[in-house]
Amino acid sequence: MPQSRAGRGLGRLFSKQDREIFALAVPAFATLLSEPLLLLADSAIVGHLGTTQLAGLGLAANVLAFLVGLAVFLAYGTTGTVARRLGAGDRAGAMTGGLDGMVLAVLIGVLLCVVLQLAMPAVLGIYRADPEVTAAATSYLRIAALGLPSVLLVLASTGVLRGLHDTKTPLFVVIATNLANIGLNVLFVYGLGFGIAGSAVGTLIAQTGAAAVLAVLVIRAARRDGARLRFRPQGILSAARTGSWLVIRTAALQAGYTVTVMVAATGGATALAAHQVVGSLWTLLAFALDSIAIAAQAIIGTALGAGDTERGRAAMRRMIGWGVVSGFAFGAVALLARPLYVGLFTPDPEVVRLITAVLVVVVVITPIAGVTYVLDGILIGAGDGRYLALAGLVALAAYLPLAILVGTNQAGLVWLWIAWGGYMAARVITLLLRARGTAWLRTGATV
């Protein structure tokens, strides 16, 4: 059957390389988008309990984001390991490496849960928030911390599937889980009157279900590919070593987020509540932009595993271009749709006014973020964790004086987000300097 004129037109507009990128990026986009949408739904549900509860959710969410962010190497590391071994033709070895990452995820999750439960008063005390806000955060965090093993297992399992170039399966699981999560949160918060703790209970149940489903799917695939299902201490330690540089890179990133929340908290409950909503929206934009970075991890890892550096560099150039386009597109949508969503999160007019003002700054930053996240994914896929760690520390060192200056002078939330824009600029500069060279183009099944 002859190809239609429209089909031929699209074929000229989108190259084979573009189609490969989109085949991975579009399902990843929907999967990544579901998590911040869930956070926004939580913010809307809890926000109608009151400004204090919404601010408390902001503190608790930042603590959890910091811990989960530190462990995000479980997704990135397993994606790179599986993709490289797949590119080298060792599918059984790819699945074995993925299973090692999943076991490591559960062990780290249990450890983080125990430590957080014991150290919670000290951790929340760092923010120096109002006592009522801290109490609300504690109520949420005591329950939500129990879900850390499940959250990290989801990360690692998703990383395995991405390394296999399967971004559709995580999409179906996450969408179903998050829909259930929203329903459970409404039930526990309002139906049963649990308040902010009800949101944590609903999320815990949903996270546990997602972890179980994804783990079963990966284990079944491993059996089909001949991978041995056994406890491998050496393999687990190898997975930990592979991710160590990514831990430093992510720690620098999470430190930047945490400093931002701490500075926002000095402005009182109104500023912190507004920052919680804007931060949730920023996470939504960041995750949407990160979909191309997810594709980059798999494509770059497979290309370099197969020794094809030309394909890797060509894919890099194309994905940077799409990062720029996506950044402008998502920023424009966020700006134009402001009247439709800002009032959904809180009835407090002062919080709404502050959110509206800060969003103008966020929209300006978004195109810079589009390039930053793509380059991040490219270098992660290339196994260039050491450079990413050092670059992350440099960017953090550039940002801290700006954030401290805003806090010391009580300049307000708008100037805090302008400072955050400086942080994103520092990140993109350090990553572009690396991408221009050839040191990151290391080939083979391992790096």
Side-chain angles (χ1 to χ4, degrees), residues 27-278:
F29 168 77
T31 303
L32 292 167
L33 208 61
S34 66
E35 182 174 333
L37 282 174
L38 177 63
L39 183 57
L40 289 172
D42 282 350
S43 296
I45 292 168
V46 173
H48 284 83
L49 293 172
T51 300
T52 297
Q53 288 83 354
L54 181 58
L57 177 63
L59 291 188
N62 182 251
V63 172
L64 292 171
F66 184 86
L67 295 176
V68 174
L70 285 178
V72 77
F73 76 90
L74 293 164
Y76 296 163
T78 52
T79 297
T81 297
V82 172
R84 274 187 174 269
R85 294 181 183 181
L86 187 67
D90 184 9
R91 192 176 182 91
M95 297 306 299
T96 298
L99 291 173
D100 291 336
M102 290 166 63
V103 174
L104 179 63
V106 174
L107 294 176
I108 293 175
V110 171
L111 177 62
L112 289 178
C113 176
V114 172
V115 171
L116 181 56
Q117 294 287 359
L118 295 175
M120 195 171 298
V123 170
L124 291 176
I126 293 173
Y127 296 91
R128 298 182 179 179
D130 295 339
E132 295 83 1
V133 173
T134 301
T138 302
S139 178
Y140 183 93
L141 205 52
R142 285 290 180 199
I143 299 167
L146 301 175
L148 283 169
S150 295
V151 173
L152 300 196
L153 181 56
V154 168
L155 282 178
S157 303
T158 301
V160 175
L161 294 171
R162 288 172 180 168
L164 296 172
H165 290 221
D166 177 9
T167 54
K168 292 181 180 178
T169 299
L171 169 62
F172 298 139
V173 173
V174 169
I175 288 178
T177 301
N178 288 348
L179 289 174
N181 195 351
I182 293 171
L184 288 169
N185 284 1
V186 172
L187 171 64
F188 286 115
V189 172
Y190 294 109
L192 299 179
F194 286 4
I196 190 173
S199 179
V201 172
T203 300
L204 174 62
I205 294 171
Q207 288 168 342
T208 303
V213 171
L214 286 171
V216 167
L217 291 174
V218 172
I219 290 171
R220 285 179 177 175
R223 285 175 173 169
R224 288 196 301 269
D225 292 330
R228 297 185 63 184
L229 305 180
R230 59 188 178 87
F231 185 74
R232 300 175 62 251
Q234 285 300 113
I236 294 167
L237 289 174
S238 176
R241 284 193 297 269
T242 298
S244 60
W245 287 111
L246 291 180
V247 171
I248 297 172
R249 165 258 181 199
T250 307
L253 179 60
Q254 292 301 324
Y257 284 133
T258 301
V259 168
T260 307
V261 175
M262 291 171 66
V263 174
T266 63
T270 297
L272 187 55
H275 181 74
Q276 161 61 15
V277 174
V278 176

